[in-house]
Amino acid sequence: MTSCLAPSLSSMMFTSLPVGQMAPWLPTWLTPIWVLSIGLILGLILSAVVFGVLAALSLIKPLGHLADNPRAGVTASLVVGGLIAAALCTTYIPLSGEYSGVMFLPLICIGLVLGFGIIYGMWHRTRVEWFAMLSEGVIPYLLSTAGLFALIGLASTPLVEDPRSILESIAAVNIVGDGTSKIEVPVPSSPDMPGSESPFHPANIDYHFRNVSELTIESDRTIVLGDAAEPAGFSRNPVRVNEGEPLTYRYQDRDAPPVPSDPTRLHIQNREIDPATVVFTFKNQPLVPQASSIVWVAAAFFLLITSMMAFRQAAPRVWAIALSTAKNEMAQPLYLLLLALGLFGVLLFGIYPFNTLGDDIRLLKDSGVTLIMVLGMILAVWSAGTSVSDEIEGRTALTVLSKPVSRRAFILGKYAGIMLAVLVLFVILSAVLSVVISYKPIYDARENASAATTWQIGHEEIMTTLPVIGLYFMETMVIGAVAVALATRLPLLANFITCFMIYVIGNLTSPLVASARDNNELVGFVGKLIAVVIPNLNVFNVQSAVDAGNPIPPIYLAGAFNYLLCFAFAIWMLAMLLFEDRDLA
C-alpha cells in the first residue's frame, strides 16, 4: 500500500526552496513536523481506501447484513480477528528475539481490532453512519488535532529539506524484519581454461542498491565481480573475492560499492576448476531512515480510527454511555483549565533555561511528558468522582440502569468515556510538545552559540518521546481504572486521596521488593504483599531511559501493555464486585 501511495504523494509535493532564501533554522525545525504530518495523511488515505472497499462490499447482502445479528457479528469478528492475529504472530514472533512471548497479547489485540473493523466496516449501517460517526464525541477533536498538525506540515513543504527523497524512501521501509535478505548464486567453472580467462556469467539477481545499507559477499571459491560479460566492456575495476574471505560494504563508510548499481550488469567469473556458490547478503534500509516513522504513524492512525468505529458499532450501549461521559467531562471548566495549564507549561519548558550544560532537551522531554501525565491523572480521578460517584449519589445512575443497560455496561462505558476525554488531552498536548521538541535543539544551539543542528536530531528526539507518552498514558489508564472502581463506593475527596497514595506506593513497589530481599521474612512478606495488591507503576516509569537518551524498544511497550491489560481486567472485576450489590435507590 505504501509503495503505491508514495509516488502519488511525491508528485503533489513542492520542491524545496534554497536554504539561503529563508531563515536557515526553519527547515531544520519544520522537517520533522512535515515527516509526521505525512504519516497522518498516509494513515487518512489508508483508512479511506480500506473502509471505502469495505463500504463497497457492504452492498453484497450476505456481507452487509452479517452484523444485523449481534451474536453472528461478534462471532464472525472473532473468527476473522483470530486468523489475522495468527498471521501476525506467525510473522512477528520469530523476529522478536529472547522475549518474544510478550508480543502474543498485543498482536492478538491488534488482530481482534482488525477483525471487528472488517466485519463491522462491511455492515450496511456503518456505510450509512460514517459521516455521523466522524462528527460525534471525541472523534472530531482527534481528527481536528491531526488535521491541524498535518496542515502545518503541508504548509511547510517548500521549506522541507529534500522532501522527494523522504517520500521515495517510504516504499523501502521494512515492515517485517530488518531488511536482511540472502541470495545464493551458483557459478559454473571452466576447468579447461585458465582461471583469468574464464567467462563472466550473469548473476541474474535483483536488488535496489539505492536502499542497500550493507552488503556482504561470501564465496567458497575465488571469484571476480564485473559489470559486463567481457573485460573490454568494463566501466569500473573488477572486484576480487577470495575463498573464505567475506567482502563487506557499508554505505556509511562511503566506499565504492563492489557491485554495479544496475543488477542486470553484474557478472561473476569463477577462477577455479570447481563450481562456486556465491552468497550475497543484502541489508536494505530506506535511503532516509526517518521515513520509517511515516509508516508507523500511518499504521497507528489507522488502528485508532478502526478501533473507534468497531467500538461504536459492536457495543452501541457502552459507546453511548462513553460518548455522553466524554462530552460531559470535556465541557467542564476543569478540562479547559487543565488543557490551558498543559499548553502553557509545554511552551514554557521549550524556552526555559534549565542550565544543564547541554541536556536541556532531555529535561524538556522529562518535564513535558510528566506534566501531561499528571494532568491526565487529575482529570481521570476527578471525572471518576463526578461521573460515577455523583451520579450514584444523585440517583442519576438509577435512571440510566432502568433502561436496557447492565451494570457492567455502565461501568465500562464510564471508564471508556473518561479515558476518551483523557486521550484527547494527551493528543493535543503531545502534538504541541512534538512541535516544541523539534525546535528545542535549534534554540539550544543558538543560545549556546554552538554548531548548527540537523533536522534528524529533532526527529529522533520526537520519536524517542512518543513511546514514553504512550507508557504514561497506560499508567494514567491504570490510575483511571482504580479511580472508577473506587468511585462506586467512595466520594470524590476520599477517591483522590486513595489514588494519590496508590500512585506514590505504586512507584515505590519495585524498590520496596528489592530492599526487602536482605531483611527478615516478615519485611519481605509485607513488601511482596504490597507488590501484589498495589499496581507496580514502575513498569510504566522510564525516566532513567529518557534521561540517558535511550529509545524505548517495542518489546518493552508490549510488556507494559500486557501488564496494563491484566491489571485493568482485575480492577474491572473488583469494580463489578463493588458495584453489583450497591443500592442505587
Side-chain angles (χ1 to χ4, degrees), residues 388-442:
V388 179
S389 297
D390 290 356
E391 288 194 14
I392 293 176
E393 297 296 334
R395 305 296 187 267
T396 307
L398 182 62
T399 303
V400 175
L401 293 173
S402 64
K403 301 175 182 180
V405 176
S406 65
R407 296 197 177 204
R408 291 176 298 174
F410 178 81
I411 290 295
L412 282 177
K414 288 296 180 183
Y415 175 66
I418 292 170
M419 295 319 301
L420 286 175
V422 174
L423 175 63
V424 173
L425 182 73
F426 263 74
V427 168
I428 294 175
L429 296 182
S430 299
V432 177
L433 180 62
S434 299
V435 176
V436 173
I437 290 176
S438 180
Y439 179 72
K440 185 63 173 176
I442 305 170

Side-chain angles (χ1 to χ4, degrees), residues 411-478:
I411 290 295
L412 282 177
K414 288 296 180 183
Y415 175 66
I418 292 170
M419 295 319 301
L420 286 175
V422 174
L423 175 63
V424 173
L425 182 73
F426 263 74
V427 168
I428 294 175
L429 296 182
S430 299
V432 177
L433 180 62
S434 299
V435 176
V436 173
I437 290 176
S438 180
Y439 179 72
K440 185 63 173 176
I442 305 170
Y443 180 82
D444 288 348
R446 296 171 66 185
E447 288 295 309
N448 300 327
S450 58
T453 184
T454 62
W455 72 266
Q456 288 86 352
I457 295 177
H459 179 273
E460 181 182 0
E461 297 292 353
I462 293 175
M463 296 311 298
T464 55
T465 303
L466 293 180
V468 180
I469 294 176
L471 286 171
Y472 282 179
F473 181 72
M474 294 183 197
E475 186 173 357
T476 306
M477 292 181 69
V478 170

Side-chain angles (χ1 to χ4, degrees), residues 82-140:
L83 294 175
I84 297 176
L88 291 175
C89 291
T90 303
T91 302
Y92 287 100
I93 294 297
L95 304 174
S96 302
E98 181 181 359
Y99 301 100
S100 59
V102 302
M103 293 295 297
F104 277 104
L105 192 54
L107 292 176
I108 290 173
C109 290
I110 293 175
L112 292 178
V113 168
L114 294 177
F116 275 85
I118 291 174
I119 297 301
Y120 283 91
M122 291 191 301
W123 197 15
H124 66 94
R125 287 187 55 181
T126 303
R127 184 186 72 245
V128 176
E129 297 173 356
W130 259 113
F131 289 104
M133 194 184 312
L134 296 177
S135 61
E136 68 179 12
V138 302
I139 297 181

Side-chain angles (χ1 to χ4, degrees), residues 308-364:
M308 291 285 186
M309 181 276 295
F311 182 17
R312 181 187 189 273
Q313 301 301 86
R317 295 175 183 174
V318 178
W319 174 261
I321 297 174
L323 180 64
S324 175
T325 302
K327 291 172 62 176
N328 180 65
E329 296 307 320
M330 293 178 65
Q332 299 298 321
L334 177 67
Y335 192 89
L336 299 178
L337 176 62
L338 294 176
L339 184 60
L341 287 175
L343 293 173
F344 175 78
V346 168
L347 294 174
L348 176 64
F349 294 150
I351 60 175
Y352 183 78
F354 291 98
N355 299 319
T356 56
L357 301 178
D359 284 340
D360 279 17
I361 182 67
R362 295 177 185 176
L363 275 180
L364 164 64

